[in-house]
């Protein structure tokens, strides 16, 4: 029996509904698959150190200076990481994790050292090598200059020769913005001045990554870093782990200093 026009119309509407339902379901499944593939709840501890000195010098020449970590304390912290199965990442690996979706080990950590002190090479680097860890230094480029014999009573900075011979990665801590006589220097500069500073820094040290002096940034500085091709920039003392959704130009770091007890150090990693 031939179907009526109404029956034909109903059949066509039913077919359209089924097709619409199929399309919606397929799109939903595709979305869920994509979201599942790209979901990453990894939280990454990025630790920030400064100057390291033998215990005696830390107690005499640098007494009460929170930015000078005792050598024995640093050794104890690195041993803790090693004993608990942590692996250190390079900043290229951090970039691949954050921007390219590359998986990283559950117990990953990033070890950074600010200012470019010669002590990082003299004391930290051998300990890092002993435990199979990698270190990253953010150097104040204007302080990269030749120096006399190593003097553990001073806070000397690494030279270009030191940097070239080191197994550590050296990146920018700006050229000459690490001061705040009248407020943060980075806030006092125009776009042209910021560009000049970063250009000067890049002439001496790799500018792929950068740590802000004192961890302080602003929108103009971020704009300049993007323009100059900086891939990631790091703050300081936010004291929380980094996540995928963090601003590429404001990644948080933990402050590890003279007064960081081992239980607090462990808590940073478990935060």
């Amino acid at each position: 029996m031939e179907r009526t026009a109404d029956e034909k119309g109903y059949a066509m509407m039913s077919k359209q509904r089924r097709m619409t339902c199929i399309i919606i379901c397929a799109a939903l499944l595709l979305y869920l698959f994509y979201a599942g593939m790209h979901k990453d709840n990894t939280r990454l501890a990025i630790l920030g150190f400064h100057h390291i000195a033998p215990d005696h010098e830390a107690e005499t020449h640098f007494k009460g200076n929170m930015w000078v970590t005792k050598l024995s304390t640093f050794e104890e912290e690195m041993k803790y990481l090693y004993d608990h199965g942590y692996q250190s990442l390079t900043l290229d690996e951090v970039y691949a994790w954050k921007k390219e979706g590359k998986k990283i080990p559950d117990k990953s950590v990033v070890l950074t050292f600010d200012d470019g002190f010669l002590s990082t090479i003299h004391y930290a680097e051998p300990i890092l090598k002993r435990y199979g860890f990698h270190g990253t230094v953010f150097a104040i480029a204007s302080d990269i200059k030749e120096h006399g014999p190593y003097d553990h009573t001073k806070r000397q900075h690494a030279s270009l020769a030191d940097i070239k011979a080191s197994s550590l990665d050296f990146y920018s801590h700006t050229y000459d913005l690490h001061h705040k006589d009248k407020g943060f220097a980075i806030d006092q500069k125009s776009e042209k001045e910021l560009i000049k500073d970063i250009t000067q820094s890049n002439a001496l040290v790799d500018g792929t990554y950068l740590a802000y002096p004192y961890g302080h940034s602003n929108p103009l500085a971020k704009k300049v870093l993007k323009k100059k091709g900086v891939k990631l920039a790091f703050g300081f003392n936010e004291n929380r782990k980094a996540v995928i959704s963090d601003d590429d130009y404001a990644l948080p770091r933990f402050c590890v200093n003279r007064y960081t007890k081992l239980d607090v150090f462990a808590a940073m990693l478990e935060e």
Side-chain angles (χ1 to χ4, degrees):
M1 179 182 297
E2 185 176 350
R3 292 185 295 178
T4 64
D6 287 344
E7 290 175 329
K8 290 180 179 179
Y10 179 78
M12 184 175 295
M13 289 176 62
S14 297
K15 183 177 180 180
Q16 289 174 339
R17 289 194 187 99
R18 287 196 298 270
M19 288 299 297
T20 300
C21 184
I22 291 171
I23 292 171
I24 291 174
C25 289
L28 180 59
L29 288 172
L30 184 61
Y31 169 79
L32 292 174
F33 174 77
Y34 181 86
M37 288 292 289
H38 290 78
K39 183 178 180 181
D40 190 333
N41 293 322
T42 305
R43 297 184 303 138
L44 177 62
I46 307 175
L47 308 181
F49 302 84
H50 282 78
H51 185 53
I52 297 170
D55 291 19
H56 176 70
E57 278 68 37
E59 289 294 348
T60 53
H61 300 284
F62 304 107
K63 187 175 180 62
N65 189 325
M66 68 179 292
W67 304 115
V68 180
T69 298
K70 292 181 181 179
L71 184 59
S72 62
T73 298
F74 181 73
E75 170 98 43
E76 184 180 40
E77 291 164 345
M78 295 304 102
K79 185 177 186 301
Y80 180 91
L81 293 177
Y82 180 82
D83 290 344
H84 288 80
Y86 281 89
Q87 298 180 48
S88 60
L89 303 183
T90 66
L91 295 195
D92 284 342
E93 289 173 320
V94 174
Y95 182 83
W97 161 68
K98 192 173 190 310
K99 303 300 293 181
E100 300 169 3
K102 183 177 179 180
K103 296 295 183 182
I104 58 176
D106 290 336
K107 287 194 169 185
S108 291
V109 67
V110 184
L111 305 174
T112 69
F113 302 81
D114 281 8
D115 300 344
F117 292 120
L118 188 55
S119 67
T120 306
I121 294 175
H122 200 82
Y123 293 117
E125 186 173 4
I127 293 174
L128 294 174
K129 285 183 176 180
R130 190 182 313 148
Y131 291 108
F133 293 144
H134 183 83
T136 294
V137 179
F138 293 112
I140 302 171
S142 59
D143 284 331
I144 298 174
K145 56 190 69 173
E146 296 303 314
H147 54 76
Y150 183 73
D151 184 348
H152 54 244
T153 68
K154 300 177 181 178
R155 291 195 294 177
Q156 295 168 297
H157 290 80
S159 67
L160 285 175
D162 297 323
I163 292 172
K164 185 176 180 180
S166 174
S167 64
L168 304 172
D169 285 338
F170 279 78
Y171 296 107
S172 178
H173 204 26
T174 74
Y175 181 77
D176 189 27
L177 298 179
H178 203 290
H179 50 87
K180 50 178 180 179
D181 301 332
K182 299 179 180 179
F184 295 106
I186 201 169
D187 289 337
Q188 313 301 317
K189 304 297 183 181
S190 66
E191 181 173 353
K192 183 178 180 180
E193 289 171 324
L194 290 174
I195 290 174
K196 179 181 178 181
D197 182 275
I198 300 304
T199 301
Q200 288 178 297
S201 177
N202 290 352
L204 294 170
V205 66
D206 191 336
T208 305
Y209 307 105
L210 177 144
Y212 300 105
Y214 313 103
H216 179 77
S217 65
N218 61 52
L220 179 59
K222 292 180 182 181
K223 175 184 174 182
V224 168
L225 296 190
K226 292 177 185 178
K227 183 178 292 189
K228 295 297 293 181
V230 175
K231 289 183 176 181
L232 298 174
F234 299 79
F236 188 75
N237 206 32
E238 294 84 3
N239 294 321
R240 68 172 179 84
K241 290 184 176 181
V243 294
I244 288 287
S245 59
D246 277 324
D247 184 344
D248 291 348
Y249 295 90
L251 289 174
R253 288 189 293 162
F254 286 95
C255 170
V256 185
N257 61 45
R258 182 191 195 98
Y259 302 114
T260 303
K261 302 299 183 183
L262 190 61
D263 59 341
V264 175
F265 182 82
M268 291 176 177
L269 302 167
E270 297 300 327
E271 181 264 351

